[in-house]
Amino acid sequence: MLSVCPLSSLARGDALRVQADPPIAVFHTEDGEVFAIDDTCTHQDASLADGWLEGCEVECPLHASRFDLRTGRVDAPPAKRPVRTHRVLVEDGHIFVELSTDEPNLPPGVSVTSPRAGGGA
């Protein structure tokens, strides 16, 4: 589990970019739910944490693709592939993320920098 931050430090309606490989975005919705997805739009290299959060959807700041935070499904083009989701656990007021072992759907020209074996430095 990746320790992210205290829940109280991520206001409702805000997002946080977390360094991972690839980076992830953690969202705290206005309803108080917390979701984590890969931070990179599947259409083009853009940070989804910089996008617009509305309900359980985030809109990419570059071309307005929208993704469902619960499933990663594309709700509006031009993106065609879903974004990878991660399991979130809020325990004792702290946000933890269990990184998915699925392959990420990164846009052309973007790749992970380390092997999938989880190798450290």
Side-chain angles (χ1 to χ4, degrees):
M1 284 278 190
L2 178 65
S3 175
V4 175
C5 67
L7 179 62
S8 60
S9 68
L10 184 59
R12 290 182 182 211
D14 277 352
L16 172 69
R17 181 182 172 110
V18 177
Q19 287 305 314
D21 191 18
I24 63 172
V26 178
F27 297 88
H28 191 186
T29 68
E30 292 291 341
D31 292 336
E33 295 182 280
V34 181
F35 298 97
I37 61 175
D38 281 347
D39 188 44
T40 307
C41 178
T42 61
H43 170 250
Q44 195 168 6
D45 190 6
S47 171
L48 294 173
D50 292 340
W52 294 274
L53 179 62
E54 184 173 332
C56 286
E57 285 188 330
V58 63
E59 182 177 311
C60 176
L62 273 189
H63 298 108
S65 292
R66 284 188 310 212
F67 299 91
D68 186 312
L69 298 175
R70 297 167 292 197
T71 63
R73 182 188 73 219
V74 176
D75 286 344
K80 295 179 179 166
R81 297 181 305 152
V83 68
R84 185 174 64 164
T85 62
H86 305 281
R87 190 171 82 87
V88 173
L89 175 67
V90 178
E91 188 172 277
D92 296 327
H94 198 91
I95 301 170
F96 297 91
V97 173
E98 181 178 1
L99 298 175
S100 172
T101 57
D102 295 342
E103 289 294 321
N105 287 325
L106 298 174
V110 177
S111 62
V112 294
T113 57
S114 65
R116 300 247 347 128

